[in-house]
Amino acid sequence: MNVLGSELTTTMPWIDRPEADIAARLAASGRSYGFDMAAKLADWRRDGFVIFEQVVDHATIDAYLEEMRHLREHHNRYVVSLEVRGTQTWTPAVPAATLEGAGVKFNHLHTSSLHAAKLSLTREVTEFLAAVFEAPVTPMQSLTFWMGSQQPTHIDYPYVCVQRRLGYMAASWIPLEDVHEDAGPLAYFPGAHRPEVSGFFDWGHGDILSRNETRVRNGMDFAHFLDAQMQAQGIPPKVFLPRKGDVLIWHANMPHAGLPVRDPKRTRKSYVTHYTSEADYPAKWKGGATPVAEFRAHDGVVLDFPWTKLDSKLPSWREHFGLPPADLSPAQPATPG
């Protein structure tokens, strides 16, 4: 095991350690929950994921979808980070039709839409992860999908690794509509979150993180490695076919994939958040001498990125934080000379 592999296993949250005692931890906390926390923690320890059914507020989902419609309609008046089939760009740089197609991710809308921030801080998600991290939770990244991602098998931590302790990361996946089996649903591998099962993939020079300065292998190499590991371990994928209002939470070391889209006319609207503990959130993202906007709910906090600009903020965020309305007047053509 390389140095970073050792770091991942020695800085694990308590629930991942061999001596973890769920009953003792809950008794010491003295907290009560609206769900069976002991059972959920046991599921997490064994399987690397938990599912909560019908806990995400439908009105918040609908409000977010409406704000997404507004963003797509006025995409050239907002500057929102976007990934289109692996290429990073911005909403004004692409035609409107592109936003409806496959291979598109809207990035970090939890810092532009109050509705997205509320989805990230769904009570059951933040309460559960706060118990895992023993601290309030903070989103580091969010991704909004319109179609199935069709992303090959992967694990999150090699890509999302800005947190102070590498093992303090988890993700939630919220369907914004009922997911059909032909729409390219999510698949995951129960129990494969344990390092002795997933193994450690070498991106180059012994590095288990996908960093430009050390990377000599690519995402498809990673997918082939994980698929071979799952086959060798005899772990078949489990397909997630949720209803609008459900949520899946998975471990940072859980292999997962987007299955092929069999019906290209079907959408798979979904919202993903990657979290760490508030204590492990990157200090340089907290703004330093420049205060950043924050939204707190339940056991979580959304912190705005200190580098974001006003033209990325959508109406719900602007209203909540008292910002001026966006200028939605038609863009004027450049004047020659």
Side-chain angles (χ1 to χ4, degrees), residues 108-114 116-118 120-121 136-142 271 273-288 290-297 300-308 313 317 321:
H108 312 312
L109 286 178
H110 69 288
T111 65
S112 293
S113 166
L114 189 70
K118 289 179 177 179
S120 290
L121 301 188
V137 300
T138 305
M140 295 183 289
Q141 179 195 69
S142 65
Y271 179 75
T273 307
H274 293 110
Y275 305 87
T276 191
S277 74
E278 188 172 8
D280 288 285
Y281 190 77
K284 64 183 179 181
W285 290 8
K286 294 181 179 179
T290 304
V292 299
E294 65 176 53
F295 173 74
R296 290 184 179 269
V301 55
V302 165
L303 297 173
D304 192 10
F305 297 140
W307 57 83
T308 56
K313 306 307 182 186
W317 187 277
F321 289 103

Side-chain angles (χ1 to χ4, degrees), residues 67 70 77-80 108 110-113 293 304-305 308-318 321 323-326:
E67 194 147 65
H70 172 85
R77 308 305 290 160
Y78 293 100
V79 182
V80 169
H108 312 312
H110 69 288
T111 65
S112 293
S113 166
D304 192 10
F305 297 140
T308 56
K309 306 296 185 183
L310 181 60
D311 55 8
S312 73
K313 306 307 182 186
L314 296 172
S316 62
W317 187 277
R318 290 169 179 267
F321 289 103
L323 302 174

Side-chain angles (χ1 to χ4, degrees), residues 1-277:
M1 186 185 302
N2 59 29
V3 173
L4 280 171
S6 298
E7 178 189 343
L8 184 65
T9 55
T10 57
T11 64
M12 290 176 171
W14 69 273
I15 189 67
D16 292 326
R17 300 172 192 166
E19 70 276 13
D21 187 330
I22 293 172
R25 289 277 176 159
L26 292 180
S29 76
R31 284 194 60 171
S32 59
Y33 300 91
F35 57 91
D36 189 341
M37 178 64 85
K40 291 296 186 185
L41 288 170
D43 289 345
W44 182 263
R45 181 169 171 78
R46 182 188 64 245
D47 298 328
F49 73 93
V50 296
I51 295 172
F52 289 93
E53 295 182 343
Q54 296 303 292
V55 298
V56 185
D57 180 53
H58 282 221
T60 302
I61 292 175
D62 292 341
Y64 184 51
L65 289 172
E66 176 59 23
E67 194 147 65
M68 288 298 299
R69 183 201 62 76
H70 172 85
L71 172 59
R72 294 195 308 277
E73 182 178 343
H74 301 285
H75 74 286
N76 60 337
R77 308 305 290 160
Y78 293 100
V79 182
V80 169
S81 175
L82 193 71
E83 181 180 318
V84 179
R85 290 179 288 280
T87 299
Q88 297 297 324
T89 183
W90 304 90
T91 46
V94 300
T98 298
L99 304 180
E100 307 290 341
V104 175
K105 303 176 187 176
F106 293 86
N107 299 322
H108 312 312
L109 286 178
H110 69 288
T111 65
S112 293
S113 166
L114 189 70
H115 307 308
K118 289 179 177 179
L119 291 177
S120 290
L121 301 188
T122 294
R123 179 187 295 275
E124 288 75 7
V125 174
T126 54
E127 288 186 349
F128 176 77
L129 289 179
V132 169
F133 294 150
E134 296 185 297
V137 300
T138 305
M140 295 183 289
Q141 179 195 69
S142 65
L143 304 169
T144 303
F145 298 83
W146 209 246
M147 307 288 289
S149 70
Q150 303 188 103
Q151 190 169 355
T153 310
H154 64 286
I155 290 171
D156 289 334
Y157 79 79
Y159 302 103
V160 186
C161 49
V162 294
Q163 65 274 21
R164 182 170 63 87
R165 288 177 291 183
L166 191 59
Y168 279 66
M169 202 261 279
S172 70
W173 197 97
I174 295 174
L176 304 177
E177 61 182 346
D178 295 352
V179 175
H180 192 276
E181 62 184 356
D182 292 338
L186 180 75
Y188 52 94
F189 296 84
H193 65 296
R194 297 188 294 275
E196 64 271 21
V197 176
S198 65
F200 289 102
F201 178 74
D202 184 356
W203 290 88
H205 310 290
D207 199 342
I208 63 170
L209 303 181
S210 178
R211 297 187 285 200
N212 289 334
E213 61 269 25
T214 56
R215 188 171 59 222
V216 296
R217 301 171 76 185
N218 59 38
M220 285 309 302
D221 295 327
F222 190 27
H224 295 325
F225 169 83
L226 290 171
D227 288 338
Q229 288 287 113
M230 297 305 99
Q231 185 174 6
Q233 297 282 349
I235 303 177
K238 186 174 180 64
V239 179
F240 188 44
L241 293 174
R243 294 177 297 151
K244 174 182 174 181
D246 296 343
V247 59
L248 168 72
I249 313 172
W250 71 77
H251 193 283
N253 199 48
M254 166 67 76
H256 55 284
L259 296 181
V261 177
R262 297 198 297 239
D263 182 352
K265 295 181 180 179
R266 289 190 178 274
T267 59
R268 194 210 64 179
K269 301 169 189 172
S270 57
Y271 179 75
V272 174
T273 307
H274 293 110
Y275 305 87
T276 191
S277 74

